[in-house]
Amino acid sequence: MKNFTDDSTESEYRGNALRKLLAYMKPYLGWFFLCLILILALTGLDLYRPMLIGDAIDLFEAEGNYDVIVDTAIKYSVVLALGFVFNITQAWILQKTGQKIIFTIRRELYLHIQSLSSRFFDLTPVGKLVTRVTNDVEALSEMYSGILVRLFRNIVKILGLAGVMLFLDRKLALISFALLPLVAALTVLFRRIARETYRLSRTRLTDLNTFLSENISGMRIIQIFGREKRKFQEFDDRSGKLYRAYYKEMMVFAIFRPLIYLLSVLSLMVVLGVGSREVLGGSISIGVLYIFAQYIQSFFDPIQELAEQFSTLQSSLASAEKIFAILEEEPQVREPENPVILPRILGRIEFSHVWFAYDGENYVLRDVSFVIEPGQKVAFVGATGAGKTSILNLIGRYYDIQRGTITIDGTDIRLLSKKQLRSAIGQMQQDVFIFQGTIESNIRLYNESITREDVKQAAEYVNASRFIEKLPRGYEEPVSERGATFSAGERQLLSFARTLAHKPAILVMDEATANIDTETELLIQEALQKLMEGRTTIMVAHRLSTIQHADCIMVMHKGKIRERGTHQELLARNGIYKKLYELQIHHDVTA
Ligand code: M5T
Ligand code: MG
């Protein structure tokens, strides 16, 4: 995120945001142009209406003929009707194009967020992103469908009114403008305060959303630890801050508007006072005075609106800045420009002197090297925090390494397209993520090439079909977000079916058997054996009994591979593995 120190860089950055926002209008320039013309016409009509009546008054006074009134009434109706049509048309165009632009931006934003790397999501709260895609984008809609055009309209209106007033009577016009410097000063002051309050309410809204998304996801923990009261206080505190920010915003408007109104009334009083004397003296007609009285009111309105619109514009720009900051966020794991396409991935994995740190400084893997041949089963063991999950994260290139190389079938994974690489890897994580949808949609994950038959076969193969078929609606059974209605073992079996259905060449499992009771474990072990058939398999396991048959076991300690070999070889070495093993045997016997 950018931090602004002096005003010049800030306005430069704002200018940038504005330019980018305007760029989105490009496809609709024709429509916007039409809108501007309609608005010019509308302003013309606005100026014309008081003149029509002013003239009528003068004519009626001179001739006393009622026809003038009928005539004027007809003209006035036509003018009103025209204005009505113009107004509706321009509002329709603006809303439509505005919403379309917003739609485009929202879409771009989501696509971009999707392309960002794990590191970004590790560091960014979900609620913040949700606010960007919803509230902040919405704030832009104001700008497209209102502000820009109304800004134009008001400027044209003010200039038009001033011009006509000067033309009709210079002296009265200058008197009407006498209070303008005061209005200008007020406006500047207002803008400055309004900007602060806008910014405040934006940040506080983000704060509240971030709090909500995190704490609703973690509601269970809050309830388990009985922290409702404390969390409510936190919520209340943020909510209160937002309330005060909005309140302040309202207050600024509530004071500014009547002040401007007061000034307009003052001007009107002065103009009427001076003007009526001139009417009596015969230097201007009653009609002209009427026009002035009308104009003064419609003169101050756009000025007040202008000030408010500038501040809304600023708030839109503030939102725009935040949106563009995300759009400009580069994915840390970059797609190669000309990816190497392998005809088929066999599954040979090689790590060569790999050094890796999530934050670029604190290395969690140090000089890790190993080779896994296609079809081999390799297991990683070691204490918690040793770097096992990190190794798995690197194989699918969810993070890039600092030093060394990782190759698949001899090709550096940084040269492969992320899509090909990742579709070759069936990765099962420590916790299974289930999306809202059905059992079927969760196994298939919107992959069109997987048929319903494939889904069923996969589920049967990994023993998941037993519990699925017991569900009232079988594969169509609705699943709630995070799959809270399933047992841990069921979720695990589902994730097996999901992985199998995608037919990966490489299988990557993190503690995949940790959550399961003995009976299900037998099912799972059987399923696992089938899953691993003919696939390169890399697994992390805490329970050594599950990995005794692995072709190679690597023992990790503080980011390094300290021992490697088969179960028997490692036991014979009498090292870390032996100790781990004895601890577990002992534990199993006493348990
Ligand atoms: C190794 C750090 C973690 C630990 C070290 C996943 C992750 C880990 N780390 C981060 O800084 N950011 C991350 O996103 O890396 O962690 P690991 O590889 O997850 O360890 P493990 O899988 O061997 O442990 P466990 O507990 O799963 O057996 O220092 O802070
Ligand atoms: Mg782990």
Side-chain angles (χ1 to χ4, degrees):
M1 281 279 152
K2 255 187 138 98
N3 261 325
F4 303 113
T5 39
D6 66 321
D7 245 280
S8 70
T9 48
E10 177 177 356
S11 57
E12 210 171 277
Y13 197 64
R14 287 270 158 101
N16 248 338
L18 187 62
R19 233 191 350 264
K20 284 181 207 144
L21 284 177
L22 292 180
Y24 282 98
M25 293 168 73
K26 241 187 190 153
Y28 309 101
L29 277 186
W31 287 108
F32 276 106
F33 192 65
L34 181 60
C35 244
L36 294 188
I37 292 179
L38 284 173
I39 278 165
L40 280 180
L42 267 174
T43 315
L45 293 180
D46 281 348
L47 292 180
Y48 182 55
R49 275 201 313 269
M51 288 194 217
L52 204 60
I53 297 200
D55 283 352
I57 293 175
D58 287 347
L59 263 177
F60 184 69
E61 203 193 21
E63 298 171 14
N65 187 345
Y66 276 99
D67 286 351
V68 175
I69 293 190
V70 176
D71 202 44
T72 308
I74 293 173
K75 276 192 198 155
Y76 200 84
S77 310
V78 172
V79 168
L80 273 185
L82 262 183
F84 182 70
V85 172
F86 287 177
N87 223 339
I88 285 190
T89 317
Q90 62 95 15
W92 176 73
I93 294 175
L94 280 182
Q95 286 302 333
K96 200 174 147 123
T97 46
Q99 288 302 327
K100 262 198 183 151
I101 294 176
I102 296 308
F103 175 73
T104 316
I105 296 181
R106 221 173 8 231
R107 181 185 212 160
E108 232 171 76
L109 198 55
Y110 183 77
L111 273 174
H112 186 76
I113 290 177
Q114 229 176 207
S115 78
L116 292 175
S117 315
S118 306
R119 183 73 185 156
F120 176 78
F121 298 101
D122 292 347
L123 300 179
T124 317
V126 178
K128 197 164 155 182
L129 292 178
V130 173
T131 313
R132 294 293 167 271
V133 182
T134 54
N135 301 69
D136 283 325
V137 171
E138 202 48 48
L140 291 189
S141 107
E142 293 227 341
M143 137 141 189
Y144 285 116
S145 41
I147 304 300
L148 283 184
V149 171
R150 263 183 280 151
L151 218 61
F152 174 77
R153 175 178 186 168
N154 285 330
I155 291 174
V156 171
K157 203 166 174 183
I158 290 171
L159 291 180
L161 286 166
V164 178
M165 279 156 100
L166 282 170
F167 174 76
L168 287 176
D169 189 289
R170 187 154 307 164
K171 188 172 151 208
L172 265 191
L174 291 179
I175 292 175
S176 315
F177 302 153
L179 287 176
L180 280 186
L182 197 55
V183 173
L186 266 178
T187 307
V188 169
L189 188 68
F190 166 76
R191 271 184 53 190
R192 191 160 300 161
I193 301 175
R195 179 159 102 193
E196 282 314 307
T197 55
Y198 263 128
R199 223 184 253 175
L200 202 64
S201 49
R202 288 275 124 202
T203 351
R204 291 188 171 170
L205 181 65
T206 311
D207 274 359
L208 189 67
N209 281 350
T210 309
F211 177 90
L212 275 179
S213 72
E214 181 180 325
N215 286 281
I216 291 175
S217 310
M219 191 54 80
R220 196 54 185 276
I221 301 292
I222 295 174
Q223 290 175 344
I224 288 175
F225 288 91
R227 279 292 175 279
E228 290 93 339
K229 214 167 159 184
R230 180 62 220 286
K231 281 294 178 187
F232 178 71
Q233 273 167 8
E234 257 179 66
F235 170 81
D236 215 32
D237 181 49
R238 284 173 200 233
S239 170
K241 276 187 179 155
L242 181 62
Y243 160 78
R244 283 190 294 280
Y246 277 147
Y247 183 75
K248 212 167 154 190
E249 207 177 299
M250 289 302 119
M251 278 309 283
V252 173
F253 279 97
I255 293 174
F256 177 69
R257 277 187 198 148
L259 265 182
I260 296 287
Y261 182 69
L262 187 70
L263 291 180
S264 81
V265 172
L266 276 178
S267 291
L268 185 64
M269 276 164 56
V270 175
V271 165
L272 282 180
V274 177
S276 46
R277 222 181 288 156
E278 289 196 10
V279 171
L280 291 179
S283 60
I284 60 168
S285 69
I286 270 210
V288 169
L289 187 59
Y290 170 84
I291 295 175
F292 260 92
Q294 290 293 312
Y295 275 17
I296 282 181
Q297 279 179 345
S298 38
F299 191 67
F300 278 84
D301 281 351
I303 289 182
Q304 171 210 321
E305 268 183 34
L306 258 186
E308 292 179 6
Q309 279 156 7
F310 265 118
S311 62
T312 320
L313 183 68
Q314 259 160 345
S315 100
S316 291
L317 286 182
S319 291
E321 268 169 29
K322 290 180 181 154
I323 290 173
F324 288 126
I326 291 184
L327 281 176
E328 279 156 22
E329 185 82 31
E330 296 270 346
Q332 269 156 337
V333 174
R334 270 199 227 168
E335 187 73 15
E337 273 176 29
N338 300 304
V340 175
I341 305 289
L342 299 177
R344 205 167 83 85
I345 289 189
L346 300 173
R348 181 182 189 276
I349 301 167
E350 177 168 2
F351 273 51
S352 164
H353 305 290
V354 169
W355 289 75
F356 171 64
Y358 285 97
D359 56 4
E361 286 172 23
N362 302 304
Y363 283 92
V364 299
L365 295 181
R366 301 150 183 276
D367 200 27
V368 171
S369 298
F370 59 81
V371 178
I372 305 172
E373 296 298 339
Q376 269 194 338
K377 325 260 167 276
V378 170
F380 285 89
V381 299
T384 195
K388 305 180 296 292
T389 301
S390 306
I391 287 194
L392 304 190
N393 282 340
L394 294 183
I395 296 175
R397 204 174 162 223
Y398 294 95
Y399 302 85
D400 270 339
I401 53 177
Q402 275 78 14
R403 266 187 276 166
T405 47
I406 301 173
T407 58
I408 284 200
D409 292 357
T411 311
D412 192 319
I413 56 170
R414 283 171 289 202
L415 298 176
L416 293 171
S417 81
K418 282 190 259 181
K419 192 162 182 210
Q420 182 177 30
L421 173 68
R422 289 175 185 173
S423 67
I425 300 172
Q427 187 148 12
M428 290 183 270
Q429 293 186 295
Q430 263 171 314
D431 39 72
V432 180
F433 198 92
I434 305 278
F435 291 90
Q436 197 180 3
T438 62
I439 295 267
E440 189 185 329
S441 73
N442 264 288
I443 294 181
R444 175 194 302 183
L445 277 186
Y446 312 102
N447 188 332
E448 300 299 333
S449 64
I450 296 172
T451 64
R452 162 161 274 204
E453 243 347 274
D454 294 336
V455 168
K456 280 193 177 158
Q457 257 178 18
E460 257 156 47
Y461 204 68
V462 300
N463 297 329
S465 55
R466 299 187 195 186
F467 91 87
I468 295 175
E469 274 152 19
K470 274 191 212 136
L471 297 169
R473 297 175 59 187
Y475 289 85
E476 296 292 327
E477 183 76 7
V479 183
S480 62
E481 196 181 309
R482 283 173 283 131
T485 52
F486 294 106
S487 77
E490 287 167 346
R491 279 204 292 273
Q492 205 86 66
L493 288 172
L494 260 183
S495 89
F496 281 11
R498 182 192 278 171
T499 306
L500 183 68
H502 285 78
K503 303 195 180 70
I506 300 167
L507 208 58
V508 172
M509 282 182 288
D510 203 343
E511 304 276 6
T513 55
N515 288 322
I516 285 146
D517 62 87
T518 345
E519 195 190 337
T520 327
E521 180 162 3
L522 287 178
L523 284 183
I524 298 229
Q525 283 305 332
E526 197 187 310
L528 262 181
Q529 290 307 323
K530 290 181 184 169
L531 255 177
M532 294 193 295
E533 250 160 54
R535 295 197 163 89
T536 307
T537 306
I538 302 164
M539 52 190 159
V540 166
H542 277 156
R543 271 193 273 180
L544 303 184
S545 59
T546 57
I547 54 159
Q548 286 180 10
H549 304 295
D551 296 312
C552 181
I553 298 169
M554 319 238 186
V555 185
M556 303 276 307
H557 187 69
K558 294 191 177 156
K560 285 190 173 154
I561 300 179
R562 295 283 291 271
E563 294 173 7
R564 62 183 91 193
T566 62
H567 179 65
Q568 294 305 332
E569 287 166 4
L570 287 175
L571 284 184
R573 266 188 72 160
N574 228 342
I576 307 178
Y577 186 79
K578 177 87 182 285
K579 259 187 225 139
L580 275 176
Y581 184 71
E582 277 171 353
L583 271 174
Q584 285 204 1
I585 297 279
H586 179 69
H587 177 82
D588 286 351
V589 170
T590 51

